[in-house]
Amino acid sequence: MLTIEVEQEDDGRWIAEVTAVPGTLAYGTTEAEARARAAALALRVIADRMDNDEPVPAEARGLFAPA
């Protein structure tokens, strides 16, 4: 399970980060939008790492199963 941390900025925007995947920061006008964007970004980063035989965070290893 990947954890998403969120907080509201002084200007009212929300920022979300998937803590196990460095660099996955995303803004949204609502908390839900920021969470969704951060999750989508984290999945893209994890998929890219898998495509390139790079290590993925331990928390993400159970997200995908072989068919």
Side-chain angles (χ1 to χ4, degrees), residues 35-60:
R35 283 182 183 276
R37 287 180 175 185
L41 177 57
L43 289 173
R44 286 193 297 271
V45 168
I46 291 166
D48 186 59
R49 287 182 182 179
M50 292 172 79
D51 282 345
N52 293 296
D53 294 321
E54 296 174 8
V56 297
E59 298 90 343

Side-chain angles (χ1 to χ4, degrees), residues 4-8 14-17 26 30-32 34-35 38:
I4 302 174
E5 293 183 0
V6 294
E7 70 179 62
Q8 193 168 25
W14 289 85
I15 185 167
E17 176 183 18
T30 65
E31 181 180 355
R35 283 182 183 276

Side-chain angles (χ1 to χ4, degrees), residues 5-26:
E5 293 183 0
V6 294
E7 70 179 62
Q8 193 168 25
E9 299 282 298
D10 291 337
D11 63 4
R13 295 181 302 166
W14 289 85
I15 185 167
E17 176 183 18
V18 179
T19 55
V21 185
T24 54
L25 297 169

